[in-house]
Amino acid sequence: MASNFSESSVLNNDYYIDTDSSEEKEKAENGTQTRFLKCSKERDFPAICTVSVIGKSVEGRDIKMLKISNSNASNAAVWLDAAIHSREWISTAVVTYLADFIARNFQDLSNSVTNKDWYIVPVLNPDGYEYTHTRDRMWRKNRARRDGVCVGVDLNRNFSCGWGNNGEEGSSDNPNSVFYRGPEPFSEPESSAVRDTILSSSTEFKVFLSFHSYFELIIFPWGYKTDPCPHYLDLLEGASIMARVTT
């Protein structure tokens, strides 16, 4: 794993690529997440770090996940993902920085950190992420095709909870919209990979954080209705603390 922030960041000039070269495309595709994952697994932290592939993207790219854990059976699970919206490069940099900090300092961190299994996906939308480096910097969705044409699905709106409940408010059934939610919940392999990984885990997930860079907000359920969600006050308290710490 990189020894400083710049090495684990996607904001390195090595990733500003606009070329038809397959070699350069491979460099962009594998970029930060591959270098990060290769360096953070068995070689550097073999006792606590493992890397796995949780699924394939629309175009067949690996969706890679780093797990940081002391393998204690009583641990709870924490999920961190980034770049579900592919143009939000800084989210990957932040998540890899957090993973680097946890792995490097694991033995010195408090029990509230070490008694968790950390599941970390630096690039949840690898097709879109590669496309923003090679073709369109502002591409947001995955690279799903409809009638032979790539329209993309907003993966963040492809989960089943409240899917399509508000019509065109907050998401869209128009494939040309940047908020296109897809033809049905979990129609996309990327969102399905998240669902399947969590539901198949024998460890109970207590925290799910998806990192974005569009706004300085901490958002928790519900996004599709105004009713308070279960444990609303606990979530509000936690979010308020997070907001104070990060400002």
Side-chain angles (χ1 to χ4, degrees), residues 59-130:
E59 295 181 344
R61 292 180 174 86
D62 289 343
I63 302 171
K64 296 182 180 180
M65 180 180 73
L66 169 69
K67 180 181 178 181
I68 305 176
S69 173
N70 59 11
S71 300
N72 190 320
S74 65
N75 287 353
V78 175
W79 178 278
L80 308 178
D81 71 56
I84 190 171
H85 289 153
S86 52
R87 64 192 181 190
E88 298 175 9
W89 293 355
I90 193 65
S91 65
T92 294
V94 170
V95 166
T96 54
Y97 179 81
L98 292 172
D100 183 46
F101 181 86
I102 294 170
R104 289 186 180 279
N105 299 283
F106 194 83
Q107 304 306 323
D108 300 319
L109 296 174
S110 69
N111 187 59
S112 62
V113 176
T114 60
N115 67 1
K116 306 293 190 302
D117 291 345
W118 296 83
Y119 293 78
I120 301 168
V121 181
V123 179
L124 186 51
N125 179 5
D127 296 344
Y129 182 76
E130 188 270 345

Side-chain angles (χ1 to χ4, degrees), residues 197-221:
T197 301
I198 290 177
L199 293 181
S200 65
S201 174
S202 59
T203 305
E204 183 180 8
F205 279 81
K206 294 291 189 180
V207 179
F208 184 104
L209 294 174
S210 186
F211 283 74
H212 294 256
S213 64
Y214 181 75
F215 215 91
E216 294 181 355
L217 291 175
I218 297 170
I219 303 174
F220 58 87

Side-chain angles (χ1 to χ4, degrees), residues 157 164-175 177 179-181:
R157 287 156 174 78
N165 279 20
N166 294 339
E168 294 296 292
E169 182 181 351
S171 69
S172 176
D173 63 2
N174 180 359
S177 170
F179 304 118
Y180 178 49
R181 58 183 173 259

